[in-house]
Amino acid sequence: MGSSEVSIIPGLQKEEKVAVERRRLHVLKALKKLHIEADEAPVVAVLGSGGGLRAHIACLGVLSEMKEQGLLDAVTYLAGVSGSTWAISSLYTNDGDMEALEADLRHRFSRQEWDLAKSLQKTIQAARSENYSLTDFWAYMVISKQTRELPESHLSNMKKPVEEGTLPYPIFAAIDNDLQPSWQEAKAQGLWGSALGNAEVNRNYIFECLNFITIFLGDVWRRTVANAKYIGRRIFAPLLRLQQSLQRERPVLEDEGGEPNYNWLTEMLENWTRTSLEKQEQPDEHPESKGSVSDFLDFVRKTGICASKWEWGTTHNFLYKHGGIRDKTMSSRRHLHLVDAGLAINTPFPLVLPPTREVHLILSFDFSAGDPFETIRATTDYCRRHKIPFPHVEEAKLDLWSKAPASCYILKGETGPVVMHFPLFNTDACGDDIEAWSDTYDTFKLADTYTLDVVRPLLALAKMNVRENKKKILREMRNAAMLYYPKHYAQSCSLV
């Protein structure tokens, strides 16, 4: 292993090799149905960029239309970032049944309500874990409100279809937040579609959520619980003090690295909760309420501390103190903190570009609301620095394309995979109204404004981008079969 900034594994894990080999048989059958005869299947990867709820809905549209056109069955790898991962996760949760998935989407967005109580309950349960972080809070209190469904699926849910090869091999992108200087210095700028693109905005949003929860629950408990004296003294009074502390203007100091320092908040939350929990030990406490009160206060404390330290994606580091790892940065940390990959490059290109995966054709669906070629620029820079083959496009040409993007661009280099890049908002589908479409589906558009009438056009647009470019996709699949397996392809064609 080389630098901790980037690690290119020398080979694939045994489990991935087996799954991909089984997938190959399904891909060959799919290619035959598409009238592409080949004894060896070219490796095709589909990528979905970030972009919040817009990416979630558009990615569902892309997957649905690819399934309808028989194209998804010819795909080996399916990778996503941020909002696209929500859609990809749903694909596996529904065992690839796109009709059921679309029906569920229509059902969710035909109603406006969001079950705050259920989401809060899930968050409080998650806070009991040693590895609780803002990722849990974000999933249950923000994403569930955006998508109107609680994220219940796990990677283990995908095991059966992946091992059997009935669905593409999924890859989800994340980056190591502890190595932030490395990917920030690299000047990767794929931030346009990332819901976590602005740390300070999201930090404030999380504190607003906490403030709202304390106000909401304080009001509910005051009105509905019989023992008002107990609730007032044990819960509502501490919540009121917390609200006042969160709302009080405090100077945000900076540490030596120029980053915001929220140590005052960490200390305040620890002291506030410790005092509140100590009061629960008084003789007149109500045992039946103790657990729920304690859990809630612990949830608020942990969330506030995680927000002050900006801790995301806390997970055990399986390389910790591993004797065979020379890189101290990777082996010296007990925990890792994984964050939205959109903070570095808002597309999962780096996951499918390592030569070990032998990807021949990449279908890149860009759901950005800003420059749809920013991900290409960032990936080009990434590949240049790490000596990975990637099609080169002159900046002047990218600038020109950005002004009036078409629905599909085919990028080819002397070596490496062919890249088909599909901007969501393009002149072919949107005409002169690209800006209006972007405004309608802004990344930070409130979830409450996403009615079924807003969802349907976006879904249809994403589907059309696939349908209108089917011939080009088939042509490049056929070219990949000819280029990488010419002998097999020639023999197959001679038999037709």
Side-chain angles (χ1 to χ4, degrees), residues 7 59 93 110 124 231 260 291 299 309 320 344 369 378 453 468 495:
S7 172
C59 189
T93 302
S110 63
I124 293 173
I231 293 298
F299 145 70
K309 295 180 178 179
Y320 179 59
D453 290 337
E468 295 300 313
L495 297 174

Side-chain angles (χ1 to χ4, degrees), residues 56-69 72-73 78 87-88 90-92 94-106 167 459 463:
H56 169 61
I57 296 169
C59 189
L60 283 177
V62 166
L63 296 176
S64 181
E65 191 62 26
M66 289 196 71
K67 183 73 174 179
E68 176 69 21
Q69 299 295 334
L72 189 62
D73 293 331
L78 184 56
I88 294 172
S90 296
L91 173 72
Y92 292 90
N94 287 271
D95 294 322
D97 187 342
M98 296 307 303
E99 289 186 8
L101 203 157
E102 282 198 53
D104 178 59
L105 181 73
R106 289 192 294 271
L167 288 175
L459 199 63
K463 289 183 176 184

Side-chain angles (χ1 to χ4, degrees), residues 177-466:
N177 197 44
D178 296 335
L179 304 180
Q180 189 179 94
S182 296
W183 48 261
Q184 278 192 338
E185 288 170 7
K187 298 182 180 178
Q189 300 171 10
L191 303 177
W192 300 108
S194 173
L196 299 179
N198 188 315
E200 197 60 31
V201 168
N202 288 284
R203 196 191 305 268
N204 292 335
Y205 183 83
I206 289 171
F207 286 139
E208 287 175 7
C209 286
L210 282 173
N211 189 42
F212 170 76
I213 290 169
T214 59
I215 293 173
F216 172 79
L217 290 183
D219 184 57
V220 169
W221 282 330
R222 277 194 305 173
R223 289 186 287 105
T224 60
V225 181
N227 195 327
K229 179 181 177 182
Y230 173 79
I231 293 298
R233 195 166 68 199
R234 294 290 187 271
I235 305 175
F236 184 66
L239 288 178
L240 182 59
R241 290 199 301 274
L242 176 60
Q243 289 170 37
Q244 292 170 345
S245 298
L246 288 174
Q247 293 170 349
R248 187 180 305 129
E249 292 187 7
R250 298 267 192 127
V252 179
L253 305 178
E254 290 189 352
D255 59 22
E256 294 180 358
E259 293 294 320
N261 188 321
Y262 289 87
N263 290 338
W264 64 267
L265 180 58
T266 304
E267 294 174 4
M268 181 273 291
L269 284 163
E270 289 178 337
N271 293 334
W272 165 77
T273 315
R274 187 180 300 114
T275 302
S276 301
L277 292 175
E278 286 172 356
K279 287 185 176 181
Q280 291 181 46
E281 302 301 325
Q282 293 182 6
D284 63 343
E285 67 181 329
H286 288 238
E288 67 275 10
S289 301
K290 179 182 176 183
S292 59
V293 173
S294 175
D295 287 344
F296 173 73
L297 295 179
D298 194 47
F299 145 70
V300 174
R301 177 183 67 85
K302 282 188 173 181
T303 304
I305 291 174
C306 285
S308 67
K309 295 180 178 179
W310 208 231
E311 282 190 350
W312 294 82
T314 303
T315 184
H316 288 290
N317 180 15
F318 69 94
L319 296 177
Y320 179 59
K321 291 187 176 181
H322 193 291
I325 304 298
R326 294 193 301 270
D327 193 321
K328 298 302 181 184
T329 306
M330 297 302 296
S331 61
S332 62
R333 294 173 294 161
R334 185 182 297 274
H335 294 96
L336 301 177
H337 296 95
L338 304 178
V339 298
D340 191 331
L343 285 166
I345 300 178
N346 198 33
T347 185
F349 271 117
L351 300 182
V352 298
L353 287 172
T356 51
R357 290 207 159 104
E358 299 181 333
V359 174
H360 306 129
L361 176 62
I362 298 175
L363 308 184
S364 164
F365 291 91
D366 196 295
F367 308 123
S368 302
D371 179 4
F373 298 99
E374 185 60 47
T375 53
I376 296 295
R377 300 173 203 269
T379 303
T380 299
D381 181 62
Y382 171 88
C383 291
R384 177 186 56 78
R385 288 184 289 106
H386 298 295
K387 297 179 175 57
I388 298 174
F390 189 77
H392 176 71
V393 183
E394 295 294 334
E395 279 290 327
K397 185 172 287 189
L398 291 174
D399 290 339
L400 182 63
W401 290 349
S402 299
K403 294 176 181 178
S407 62
C408 176
Y409 293 85
I410 302 175
L411 314 179
K412 299 181 179 181
E414 294 182 3
T415 58
V418 172
V419 175
M420 300 185 73
H421 192 66
F422 304 86
L424 174 62
F425 301 130
N426 57 77
T427 55
D428 298 328
C430 306
D432 297 329
D433 297 327
I434 291 180
E435 187 174 348
W437 277 88
S438 296
D439 291 342
T440 300
Y441 298 99
D442 182 75
T443 301
F444 292 98
K445 181 182 177 70
L446 295 177
D448 295 342
T449 63
Y450 269 87
T451 62
L452 199 55
D453 290 337
V454 175
V455 169
R456 279 178 175 146
L458 183 59
L459 199 63
L461 179 70
K463 289 183 176 184
M464 185 171 69
N465 285 342
V466 174

Side-chain angles (χ1 to χ4, degrees), residues 1 8 21 24 34 44 54 81 83 118 135 152 193 196 202 216 219 232 295 306 317 333 351 354 370 481 486:
M1 178 177 291
I8 305 298
E21 179 60 25
R24 184 183 67 85
L34 295 169
V44 180
R54 177 186 60 253
V81 168
K118 190 172 182 180
T135 300
E152 301 283 9
L196 299 179
N202 288 284
F216 172 79
D219 184 57
D295 287 344
C306 285
N317 180 15
R333 294 173 294 161
L351 300 182

